Amino acid sequence: MIWEIKLATLIVMIACAVAAINVRDLLGAAILFGIYSFMMCIQWLAMGAVDVAFTEAAIGAGISTVLVLAAIFRTTRRTKD
């Protein structure tokens, strides 16, 4: 794979990781972690590990993100007091 694509995905991964740590909203952090996981999938694909990339896309970017988003939407932001 072209090294520019690898470098671009690595920069996006680092930006997503830093942003996910610094963002104060849980929904935003969950979305950033989903993007991070998808970029990690592209990195695995660039390294030639297609089966690991497929697993990362299905579980890391797909199922984990959906489960975290479902957990966030099941909770309330404020108490009813």
Side-chain angles (χ1 to χ4, degrees):
M1 182 170 253
I2 303 170
W3 69 270
E4 291 92 358
I5 294 175
K6 288 182 180 178
L7 183 64
T9 56
L10 184 63
I11 290 170
V12 172
M13 281 177 56
I14 292 170
C16 285
V18 171
I21 291 171
N22 291 327
V23 72
R24 297 184 61 93
D25 187 28
L26 288 177
L27 183 62
I31 292 171
L32 286 170
F33 276 125
I35 295 170
Y36 174 86
S37 187
F38 187 71
M39 291 297 125
M40 191 67 206
C41 166
I42 293 174
Q43 286 290 329
W44 286 120
L45 189 62
M47 288 188 250
V50 177
D51 53 342
V52 178
F54 183 74
T55 304
E56 179 72 28
I59 295 174
I63 295 173
S64 297
T65 303
V66 169
L67 288 176
V68 169
L69 290 177
I72 290 171
F73 285 122
R74 297 271 303 169
T75 59
T76 58
R77 290 184 178 236
R78 298 179 190 254
T79 61
K80 296 182 178 171
D81 295 337

